[in-house]
Structures are given as structure tokens and as C-alpha cells.
Coordinates of all heavy atoms in Angstrom, one line a residue:
L1 N -63.9 36.3 32.7 CA -64.4 35.0 33.2 C -65.3 35.3 34.4 O -66.4 34.8 34.6 CB -63.3 34.0 33.5 CG -63.8 32.7 34.0 CD1 -64.7 32.0 33.0 CD2 -62.6 31.8 34.3
F2 N -64.8 36.2 35.3 CA -65.6 36.5 36.5 C -67.0 37.1 36.1 O -68.0 36.8 36.7 CB -64.8 37.6 37.3 CG -65.6 37.9 38.6 CD1 -65.7 37.0 39.6 CD2 -66.1 39.2 38.8 CE1 -66.4 37.3 40.8 CE2 -66.8 39.5 39.9 CZ -66.9 38.6 40.9
T3 N -67.0 38.0 35.1 CA -68.3 38.5 34.6 C -69.2 37.4 34.1 O -70.4 37.4 34.4 CB -68.0 39.5 33.5 OG1 -67.2 40.6 34.0 CG2 -69.3 40.1 33.0
L4 N -68.6 36.5 33.3 CA -69.5 35.3 32.9 C -70.0 34.5 34.0 O -71.1 34.0 34.0 CB -68.7 34.5 31.9 CG -68.5 35.0 30.5 CD1 -67.7 34.1 29.7 CD2 -69.9 35.2 29.8
L5 N -69.2 34.3 35.0 CA -69.6 33.5 36.2 C -70.8 34.1 36.9 O -71.6 33.4 37.5 CB -68.4 33.2 37.1 CG -67.3 32.3 36.6 CD1 -66.1 32.3 37.6 CD2 -67.8 30.9 36.4
Q6 N -70.8 35.4 36.8 CA -72.0 36.2 37.4 C -73.2 36.1 36.5 O -74.3 36.5 37.0 CB -71.6 37.6 37.7 CG -70.5 37.8 38.7 CD -70.1 39.2 38.9 OE1 -69.8 39.9 37.9 NE2 -69.9 39.6 40.1
Q7 N -73.1 35.6 35.3 CA -74.2 35.5 34.4 C -74.4 34.1 33.9 O -74.0 33.8 32.8 CB -73.9 36.5 33.1 CG -73.7 37.9 33.5 CD -75.0 38.6 33.9 OE1 -76.1 38.2 33.5 NE2 -74.9 39.6 34.7
P8 N -74.9 33.2 34.7 CA -75.0 31.8 34.4 C -75.7 31.5 33.1 O -75.3 30.6 32.3 CB -75.6 31.1 35.6 CG -76.2 32.2 36.4 CD -75.5 33.5 36.0
D9 N -76.7 32.3 32.7 CA -77.4 32.1 31.5 C -76.5 32.3 30.3 O -76.5 31.6 29.3 CB -78.6 33.0 31.4 CG -79.7 32.6 32.4 OD1 -79.6 31.4 32.9 OD2 -80.6 33.4 32.6
V10 N -75.7 33.4 30.4 CA -74.8 33.7 29.3 C -73.7 32.7 29.2 O -73.3 32.3 28.1 CB -74.2 35.1 29.5 CG1 -73.2 35.5 28.4 CG2 -75.3 36.2 29.5
M11 N -73.2 32.2 30.4 CA -72.2 31.1 30.4 C -72.7 29.9 29.7 O -72.0 29.2 28.9 CB -71.7 30.9 31.8 CG -70.6 29.8 31.9 SD -69.1 30.5 31.1 CE -68.0 30.2 32.5
R12 N -73.9 29.5 30.0 CA -74.5 28.3 29.4 C -74.6 28.5 27.9 O -74.4 27.6 27.1 CB -75.9 28.0 30.0 CG -75.8 27.3 31.3 CD -77.2 26.7 31.7 NE -78.1 27.8 32.1 CZ -78.1 28.4 33.4 NH1 -77.2 28.0 34.2 NH2 -78.9 29.3 33.6
L13 N -75.1 29.7 27.4 CA -75.2 30.0 26.0 C -73.8 29.9 25.3 O -73.7 29.3 24.2 CB -75.7 31.4 25.8 CG -75.9 31.9 24.4 CD1 -76.9 31.0 23.6 CD2 -76.4 33.3 24.4
A14 N -72.8 30.4 26.0 CA -71.4 30.4 25.4 C -70.9 28.9 25.2 O -70.3 28.6 24.2 CB -70.4 31.1 26.2
T15 N -71.2 28.1 26.2 CA -70.8 26.7 26.1 C -71.6 25.9 25.1 O -71.2 24.9 24.5 CB -70.7 26.0 27.5 OG1 -72.0 26.1 28.1 CG2 -69.7 26.7 28.3
A16 N -72.9 26.3 24.9 CA -73.8 25.6 24.1 C -73.7 26.0 22.6 O -73.9 25.2 21.7 CB -75.3 25.7 24.5
D17 N -73.3 27.2 22.3 CA -73.3 27.7 21.0 C -72.1 28.6 20.8 O -72.1 29.8 21.2 CB -74.6 28.5 20.7 CG -74.6 29.1 19.3 OD1 -73.7 28.8 18.5 OD2 -75.7 29.7 19.0
S18 N -71.0 28.0 20.2 CA -69.8 28.8 20.1 C -69.9 30.0 19.2 O -69.0 30.9 19.2 CB -68.7 27.8 19.6 OG -69.0 27.4 18.3
T19 N -70.9 30.1 18.4 CA -71.0 31.3 17.5 C -71.4 32.6 18.3 O -71.3 33.6 17.7 CB -72.1 31.0 16.4 OG1 -73.4 30.9 17.0 CG2 -71.8 29.8 15.5
T20 N -71.8 32.4 19.5 CA -72.1 33.6 20.3 C -70.9 34.1 21.1 O -71.0 35.2 21.6 CB -73.2 33.3 21.4 OG1 -72.6 32.2 22.3 CG2 -74.4 32.7 20.8
I21 N -69.8 33.4 21.0 CA -68.6 33.9 21.8 C -68.1 35.2 21.4 O -67.8 36.1 22.3 CB -67.5 32.8 21.8 CG1 -68.0 31.6 22.5 CG2 -66.2 33.3 22.4 CD1 -67.1 30.4 22.5
G22 N -68.0 35.6 20.1 CA -67.6 36.9 19.7 C -68.4 38.0 20.3 O -67.9 39.0 20.8
S23 N -69.7 37.8 20.3 CA -70.6 38.9 20.8 C -70.5 38.9 22.3 O -70.5 40.0 22.9 CB -72.1 38.6 20.5 OG -72.3 38.7 19.1
I24 N -70.3 37.8 23.0 CA -70.1 37.8 24.4 C -68.8 38.5 24.8 O -68.8 39.3 25.8 CB -70.2 36.3 24.9 CG1 -71.6 35.7 24.8 CG2 -69.7 36.2 26.4 CD1 -71.7 34.3 25.1
V25 N -67.8 38.2 24.1 CA -66.5 38.9 24.4 C -66.6 40.4 24.2 O -66.2 41.2 25.1 CB -65.4 38.3 23.5 CG1 -64.1 39.2 23.6 CG2 -65.0 36.9 23.9
N26 N -67.2 40.8 23.1 CA -67.4 42.3 22.9 C -68.3 42.9 24.0 O -67.9 44.0 24.5 CB -68.1 42.5 21.5 CG -67.1 42.4 20.4 OD1 -65.9 42.4 20.6 ND2 -67.7 42.2 19.2
E27 N -69.3 42.2 24.4 CA -70.2 42.8 25.4 C -69.4 42.8 26.8 O -69.6 43.8 27.6 CB -71.5 42.0 25.5 CG -72.5 42.5 26.5 CD -73.0 44.0 26.2 OE1 -72.6 44.5 25.1 OE2 -73.7 44.5 27.0
T28 N -68.6 41.8 27.1 CA -67.9 41.8 28.3 C -66.9 43.0 28.3 O -66.7 43.6 29.3 CB -67.1 40.4 28.5 OG1 -68.1 39.4 28.5 CG2 -66.4 40.4 29.8
I29 N -66.2 43.2 27.2 CA -65.3 44.3 27.1 C -66.0 45.6 27.3 O -65.5 46.6 28.0 CB -64.5 44.3 25.8 CG1 -63.6 43.1 25.7 CG2 -63.8 45.6 25.5 CD1 -63.0 42.9 24.3
R30 N -67.2 45.7 26.8 CA -68.0 47.0 27.0 C -68.4 47.2 28.5 O -68.3 48.3 29.0 CB -69.3 46.9 26.2 CG -70.1 48.2 26.2 CD -71.4 48.1 25.4 NE -72.3 47.3 26.2 CZ -73.1 47.7 27.1 NH1 -73.1 48.9 27.6 NH2 -73.9 46.9 27.8
L31 N -68.8 46.1 29.1 CA -69.2 46.2 30.5 C -68.0 46.3 31.5 O -68.1 47.0 32.5 CB -70.0 44.9 30.9 CG -71.4 44.8 30.3 CD1 -72.0 43.4 30.6 CD2 -72.3 45.9 30.9
E32 N -66.9 45.7 31.2 CA -65.8 45.6 32.1 C -64.5 45.9 31.3 O -63.7 45.0 31.1 CB -65.7 44.2 32.8 CG -66.9 43.8 33.6 CD -67.1 44.7 34.8 OE1 -66.2 45.4 35.2 OE2 -68.3 44.6 35.3
P33 N -64.2 47.2 30.9 CA -63.0 47.5 30.2 C -61.8 47.2 31.0 O -61.8 47.3 32.3 CB -63.1 48.9 29.8 CG -64.1 49.5 30.8 CD -65.1 48.4 31.2
S34 N -60.7 46.8 30.4 CA -59.5 46.5 31.2 C -58.9 47.7 31.9 O -58.3 47.6 32.9 CB -58.4 45.9 30.3 OG -58.1 46.8 29.2
L35 N -59.1 48.9 31.3 CA -58.7 50.1 32.0 C -59.9 51.0 32.3 O -60.5 51.5 31.3 CB -57.7 50.9 31.0 CG -56.4 50.3 30.7 CD1 -55.7 51.1 29.6 CD2 -55.5 50.1 31.9
P36 N -60.2 51.1 33.6 CA -61.4 52.0 33.9 C -61.2 53.4 33.6 O -62.2 54.2 33.4 CB -61.6 51.7 35.4 CG -60.3 51.3 35.9 CD -59.6 50.6 34.7
G37 N -60.0 53.9 33.4 CA -59.7 55.3 33.1 C -58.3 55.4 32.5 O -57.5 54.6 32.7
A38 N -58.2 56.5 31.8 CA -56.8 56.7 31.2 C -56.5 58.2 31.4 O -57.2 59.1 30.9 CB -56.9 56.4 29.7
P39 N -55.4 58.5 32.0 CA -55.0 59.9 32.2 C -54.5 60.5 30.9 O -53.9 59.8 30.0 CB -53.8 59.8 33.2 CG -53.3 58.4 33.0 CD -54.4 57.5 32.6
R40 N -54.8 61.7 30.7 CA -54.5 62.5 29.5 C -54.0 63.9 29.9 O -54.5 64.5 30.9 CB -55.6 62.6 28.5 CG -56.0 61.3 27.9 CD -54.9 60.9 26.9 NE -55.2 59.7 26.2 CZ -54.6 58.5 26.5 NH1 -53.8 58.4 27.5 NH2 -54.9 57.4 25.8
T41 N -53.1 64.5 29.2 CA -52.6 65.8 29.4 C -53.2 66.7 28.4 O -53.1 66.4 27.2 CB -51.1 65.9 29.4 OG1 -50.6 64.9 30.3 CG2 -50.6 67.3 29.7
V42 N -53.8 67.8 28.8 CA -54.4 68.8 27.9 C -53.3 69.5 27.1 O -52.4 70.0 27.7 CB -55.3 69.8 28.7 CG1 -55.8 70.9 27.8 CG2 -56.4 69.1 29.5
I43 N -53.5 69.5 25.8 CA -52.5 70.1 25.0 C -52.9 71.5 24.4 O -52.1 72.2 23.8 CB -52.0 69.2 23.8 CG1 -53.2 68.9 22.9 CG2 -51.4 67.9 24.3 CD1 -52.8 68.1 21.6
E44 N -54.2 71.8 24.6 CA -54.6 73.2 24.3 C -55.8 73.5 25.2 O -56.4 72.6 25.7 CB -55.1 73.3 22.8 CG -56.2 72.4 22.4 CD -56.5 72.5 20.9 OE1 -55.6 72.3 20.1 OE2 -57.7 72.7 20.6
P45 N -56.0 74.7 25.5 CA -57.1 75.1 26.5 C -58.4 74.5 26.0 O -58.8 74.5 24.8 CB -57.2 76.6 26.4 CG -55.8 77.0 25.9 CD -55.4 75.9 25.0
V46 N -59.2 73.9 26.9 CA -60.5 73.3 26.6 C -61.4 73.4 27.8 O -61.0 73.4 28.9 CB -60.3 71.8 26.2 CG1 -59.7 71.0 27.4 CG2 -61.5 71.2 25.7
E47 N -62.7 73.5 27.5 CA -63.7 73.6 28.5 C -64.3 72.2 28.6 O -64.8 71.7 27.7 CB -64.8 74.6 28.2 CG -65.8 74.8 29.3 CD -66.8 75.8 29.0 OE1 -66.4 76.9 28.6 OE2 -68.0 75.5 29.2
I48 N -64.3 71.6 29.8 CA -64.9 70.4 30.1 C -65.9 70.5 31.3 O -65.4 70.9 32.4 CB -63.8 69.3 30.4 CG1 -62.8 69.2 29.3 CG2 -64.5 67.9 30.7 CD1 -61.6 68.3 29.6
G49 N -67.1 70.3 31.0 CA -68.1 70.3 32.1 C -68.2 71.7 32.7 O -68.5 71.9 33.9
G50 N -68.0 72.7 31.8 CA -68.1 74.1 32.3 C -66.9 74.7 33.0 O -66.9 75.8 33.5
I51 N -65.8 73.9 33.0 CA -64.6 74.3 33.7 C -63.5 74.4 32.7 O -63.3 73.4 31.9 CB -64.2 73.3 34.8 CG1 -65.3 73.3 35.9 CG2 -62.8 73.7 35.4 CD1 -65.1 72.2 36.9
E52 N -62.8 75.5 32.6 CA -61.7 75.7 31.6 C -60.5 74.9 32.1 O -60.1 75.1 33.3 CB -61.4 77.2 31.5 CG -60.3 77.5 30.5 CD -60.8 77.3 29.1 OE1 -62.0 77.4 28.8 OE2 -60.0 77.0 28.2
R53 N -60.0 74.1 31.3 CA -58.8 73.3 31.6 C -57.6 73.9 30.8 O -57.6 73.9 29.6 CB -58.9 71.8 31.2 CG -60.2 71.2 31.7 CD -60.1 71.0 33.2 NE -61.4 70.4 33.6 CZ -61.7 70.0 34.8 NH1 -60.8 70.1 35.7 NH2 -62.8 69.5 35.1
P54 N -56.6 74.4 31.6 CA -55.4 75.0 30.8 C -54.5 73.9 30.3 O -54.5 72.8 30.7 CB -54.7 75.8 32.0 CG -55.1 75.2 33.2 CD -56.5 74.6 33.0
V55 N -53.6 74.4 29.4 CA -52.6 73.5 28.8 C -51.8 72.9 30.0 O -51.4 73.6 30.9 CB -51.7 74.3 27.8 CG1 -50.5 73.4 27.4 CG2 -52.5 74.7 26.6
G56 N -51.5 71.6 29.9 CA -50.7 70.9 30.9 C -51.6 70.3 32.0 O -51.0 69.5 32.8
S57 N -52.9 70.6 32.0 CA -53.7 70.0 33.1 C -53.9 68.5 32.8 O -53.9 68.0 31.7 CB -55.1 70.6 33.0 OG -55.1 72.0 33.3
L58 N -54.0 67.8 33.9 CA -54.2 66.3 33.8 C -55.7 66.1 33.9 O -56.4 66.6 34.8 CB -53.5 65.6 34.9 CG -53.5 64.1 34.9 CD1 -52.8 63.6 33.7 CD2 -52.9 63.5 36.2
V59 N -56.2 65.3 32.9 CA -57.7 64.9 33.0 C -57.7 63.4 32.9 O -56.8 62.7 32.5 CB -58.5 65.6 31.8 CG1 -58.5 67.1 32.0 CG2 -57.9 65.2 30.5
L60 N -58.8 62.8 33.3 CA -59.0 61.4 33.3 C -60.1 61.0 32.4 O -61.3 61.5 32.5 CB -59.3 60.8 34.7 CG -59.4 59.3 34.8 CD1 -58.1 58.6 34.5 CD2 -59.9 59.0 36.2
L61 N -59.8 60.2 31.3 CA -60.8 59.7 30.4 C -61.4 58.5 31.1 O -60.8 57.5 31.2 CB -60.2 59.4 29.1 CG -61.1 58.6 28.1 CD1 -62.3 59.5 27.7 CD2 -60.4 58.2 26.9
A62 N -62.7 58.6 31.6 CA -63.3 57.5 32.3 C -63.9 56.5 31.4 O -65.1 56.6 31.0 CB -64.3 58.0 33.4
T63 N -63.2 55.6 30.9 CA -63.7 54.7 29.9 C -64.8 53.7 30.4 O -65.7 53.4 29.7 CB -62.5 53.8 29.3 OG1 -61.9 53.1 30.4 CG2 -61.5 54.6 28.6
A64 N -64.7 53.4 31.7 CA -65.7 52.4 32.2 C -67.1 53.1 32.2 O -68.1 52.4 31.9 CB -65.3 52.0 33.6
T65 N -67.2 54.3 32.6 CA -68.5 55.0 32.6 C -69.0 55.4 31.2 O -70.2 55.4 31.0 CB -68.5 56.2 33.5 OG1 -67.5 57.1 33.1 CG2 -68.2 55.8 35.0
A66 N -68.0 55.6 30.3 CA -68.4 56.0 29.0 C -68.9 54.9 28.1 O -69.6 55.1 27.2 CB -67.2 56.7 28.3
T67 N -68.4 53.7 28.4 CA -68.7 52.6 27.5 C -69.9 51.7 27.8 O -70.4 51.0 27.0 CB -67.5 51.6 27.4 OG1 -67.2 51.1 28.7 CG2 -66.3 52.4 26.8
A68 N -70.3 51.7 29.1 CA -71.3 50.7 29.5 C -72.6 51.3 30.1 O -72.5 51.9 31.2 CB -70.7 49.7 30.4
N69 N -73.7 51.1 29.5 CA -75.0 51.3 30.1 C -75.3 50.1 30.9 O -75.5 49.0 30.3 CB -76.1 51.6 29.1 CG -77.4 51.8 29.7 OD1 -77.6 51.5 30.8 ND2 -78.3 52.4 28.9
R70 N -75.3 50.1 32.2 CA -75.4 48.9 33.0 C -76.9 48.7 33.5 O -77.1 47.8 34.3 CB -74.5 49.0 34.3 CG -73.1 49.1 33.9 CD -72.2 49.4 35.0 NE -70.8 49.5 34.6 CZ -70.0 48.5 34.5 NH1 -70.3 47.3 34.8 NH2 -68.7 48.7 34.1
D71 N -77.8 49.4 32.9 CA -79.2 49.1 33.3 C -79.7 48.0 32.5 O -79.9 48.1 31.3 CB -80.0 50.4 33.0 CG -81.5 50.3 33.3 OD1 -81.9 49.1 33.7 OD2 -82.2 51.2 33.2
P72 N -80.0 46.8 33.1 CA -80.4 45.6 32.3 C -81.7 45.8 31.7 O -82.0 45.1 30.7 CB -80.4 44.5 33.4 CG -80.5 45.2 34.7 CD -79.9 46.5 34.5
S73 N -82.6 46.7 32.1 CA -83.8 46.9 31.4 C -83.6 47.6 30.1 O -84.5 47.6 29.2 CB -84.8 47.6 32.4 OG -84.4 49.0 32.6
T74 N -82.5 48.3 30.0 CA -82.2 49.1 28.8 C -81.4 48.3 27.8 O -81.8 48.2 26.6 CB -81.4 50.4 29.1 OG1 -82.1 51.1 30.1 CG2 -81.2 51.2 27.9
I75 N -80.4 47.6 28.3 CA -79.6 46.8 27.4 C -79.3 45.5 28.1 O -78.2 45.3 28.7 CB -78.3 47.5 27.0 CG1 -78.5 48.8 26.4 CG2 -77.4 46.6 26.1 CD1 -77.3 49.6 26.0
P76 N -80.2 44.5 28.1 CA -79.9 43.2 28.7 C -79.0 42.4 27.9 O -78.8 42.6 26.6 CB -81.3 42.6 28.7 CG -82.1 43.2 27.6 CD -81.6 44.6 27.5
W77 N -78.2 41.5 28.5 CA -77.3 40.7 27.8 C -77.9 40.0 26.6 O -77.3 39.9 25.5 CB -76.8 39.6 28.8 CG -75.6 40.0 29.6 CD1 -75.6 40.6 30.8 CD2 -74.2 39.8 29.3 NE1 -74.4 40.8 31.2 CE2 -73.5 40.3 30.3 CE3 -73.6 39.1 28.2 CZ2 -72.1 40.2 30.4 CZ3 -72.2 39.1 28.3 CH2 -71.5 39.6 29.3
V78 N -79.1 39.5 26.8 CA -79.7 38.7 25.7 C -79.9 39.5 24.5 O -79.7 39.0 23.3 CB -81.1 38.1 26.2 CG1 -81.8 37.4 25.0 CG2 -80.9 37.2 27.4
S79 N -80.2 40.8 24.6 CA -80.5 41.6 23.4 C -79.2 41.9 22.6 O -79.2 42.0 21.4 CB -81.1 42.9 23.8 OG -80.2 43.8 24.4
V80 N -78.0 41.9 23.3 CA -76.8 42.2 22.6 C -76.2 41.0 22.0 O -75.3 41.1 21.1 CB -75.8 43.0 23.5 CG1 -76.3 44.3 24.0 CG2 -75.4 42.1 24.7
L81 N -76.6 39.8 22.5 CA -75.9 38.6 21.9 C -76.3 38.3 20.5 O -75.7 37.5 19.8 CB -76.2 37.5 22.9 CG -75.6 37.6 24.3 CD1 -75.9 36.4 25.1 CD2 -74.1 37.8 24.2
G82 N -77.4 38.9 20.1 CA -77.9 38.6 18.7 C -77.1 39.5 17.7 O -77.2 39.2 16.5
R83 N -76.4 40.5 18.2 CA -75.6 41.3 17.3 C -74.4 40.5 16.7 O -73.9 39.6 17.3 CB -75.0 42.5 18.0 CG -76.1 43.4 18.5 CD -75.5 44.7 19.0 NE -74.5 44.5 20.1 CZ -74.2 45.4 21.0 NH1 -74.9 46.5 21.1 NH2 -73.3 45.1 21.9
S84 N -74.0 40.9 15.5 CA -72.8 40.3 14.9 C -71.6 40.9 15.6 O -71.6 42.1 16.0 CB -72.7 40.6 13.5 OG -73.8 40.1 12.8
P85 N -70.6 40.1 15.9 CA -69.4 40.7 16.5 C -68.8 41.8 15.6 O -68.9 41.7 14.4 CB -68.4 39.5 16.5 CG -69.2 38.3 16.4 CD -70.5 38.7 15.6
V86 N -68.4 42.8 16.3 CA -67.8 44.0 15.6 C -66.4 44.2 15.9 O -65.9 43.8 17.0 CB -68.6 45.3 15.9 CG1 -70.1 45.2 15.4 CG2 -68.6 45.6 17.4
T87 N -65.7 44.9 15.1 CA -64.3 45.3 15.4 C -64.4 46.5 16.3 O -65.0 47.5 15.9 CB -63.5 45.6 14.1 OG1 -63.5 44.4 13.3 CG2 -62.1 46.0 14.5
L88 N -63.8 46.4 17.5 CA -63.9 47.6 18.4 C -62.8 48.6 18.0 O -61.7 48.2 17.7 CB -63.7 47.0 19.8 CG -64.7 46.1 20.3 CD1 -64.3 45.6 21.7 CD2 -66.1 46.7 20.3
P89 N -63.2 49.9 18.0 CA -62.2 50.9 17.7 C -61.1 51.0 18.8 O -61.5 50.8 19.9 CB -63.0 52.1 17.5 CG -64.2 51.9 18.4 CD -64.5 50.4 18.3
V90 N -59.9 51.4 18.4 CA -58.9 51.7 19.4 C -59.2 53.1 19.9 O -59.0 54.1 19.0 CB -57.5 51.6 18.8 CG1 -56.5 52.0 19.8 CG2 -57.3 50.1 18.4
L91 N -59.5 53.3 21.1 CA -59.8 54.6 21.6 C -58.6 55.3 22.3 O -58.5 56.5 22.4 CB -61.0 54.6 22.7 CG -62.3 54.0 22.1 CD1 -63.3 53.9 23.2 CD2 -62.8 54.9 21.0
L92 N -57.7 54.5 22.8 CA -56.5 55.0 23.5 C -55.2 54.7 22.8 O -54.9 53.5 22.6 CB -56.5 54.5 24.9 CG -57.8 54.6 25.7 CD1 -57.7 53.8 27.0 CD2 -58.1 56.1 25.9
E93 N -54.5 55.6 22.4 CA -53.2 55.4 21.8 C -52.2 56.3 22.6 O -52.5 57.4 23.0 CB -53.2 55.7 20.4 CG -54.0 54.8 19.5 CD -53.9 55.1 18.1 OE1 -53.0 55.7 17.6 OE2 -54.8 54.6 17.3
G94 N -51.0 55.7 22.8 CA -50.2 56.4 23.7 C -48.9 57.0 23.1 O -48.2 57.7 23.6

């Protein structure tokens, strides 16, 4: 809701045309995921960013930075609202 309050044009669109709500919800989840990051434990040696991570190392999956291009000139709200709502994949299972 806070994200929508910051986007009055999108809020007006949502109240005027209920068919856009699915796309608005998906886009809001992309921009503001509920978990900005998820800790994970390395189960086999892996190189991340040029650094070898041994078994048992703790790493953080930064979902907020991975999911949202926040440059409005690249992906403005208006352009994504025309998309059909999609089923979002489950990326984190515990």
C-alpha cells in the first residue's frame, strides 16, 4: 500500500480499472519484495564473485537487488501494467 501511495497515477488506475490489479500486485512484489534477502548455507564449495566459498559458509541471497530494476526510464510502471498477470515462481524454499 505504501508503494501505491507513492505512485498516485498507479493508485488511480487500480481504483478505476480492477483488471490492472494483478499486474500492479506483481510489479509491487518485484519492486518491494517482502524479504530483501535470504541467508543460505553453502553445501558444496562454490566461487561467487571471484571468491571461493567453502562448505558451511553463510551467504546472503539479495532478493531485493536481484528482482527490481528501479530505473523508471528503463521499466516505468506504465509499461509493466499492460502485461498479463503471471504466476511468480517460488525462489526460496526452506
Side-chain angles (χ1 to χ4, degrees):
L1 183 57
F2 181 69
T3 301
L4 283 178
L5 291 173
Q6 294 175 315
Q7 303 287 334
D9 292 342
V10 176
M11 183 66 125
R12 278 191 290 280
L13 180 62
T15 57
D17 181 0
S18 64
T19 64
T20 63
I21 292 175
S23 293
I24 291 170
V25 168
N26 283 343
E27 185 61 7
T28 301
I29 292 169
R30 186 185 71 82
L31 288 169
E32 301 294 342
S34 59
L35 296 173
R40 292 291 183 253
T41 302
V42 174
I43 61 170
E44 61 183 55
V46 63
E47 184 179 313
I48 303 173
I51 299 171
E52 185 69 27
R53 309 291 179 172
V55 171
S57 298
L58 186 64
V59 295
L60 182 67
L61 172 63
T63 58
T65 57
T67 60
N69 178 344
R70 296 173 185 269
D71 180 355
S73 68
T74 304
I75 303 180
W77 272 86
V78 176
S79 71
V80 298
L81 295 180
R83 296 190 303 209
S84 298
V86 295
T87 301
L88 298 176
V90 174
L91 299 176
L92 307 173
E93 294 185 17

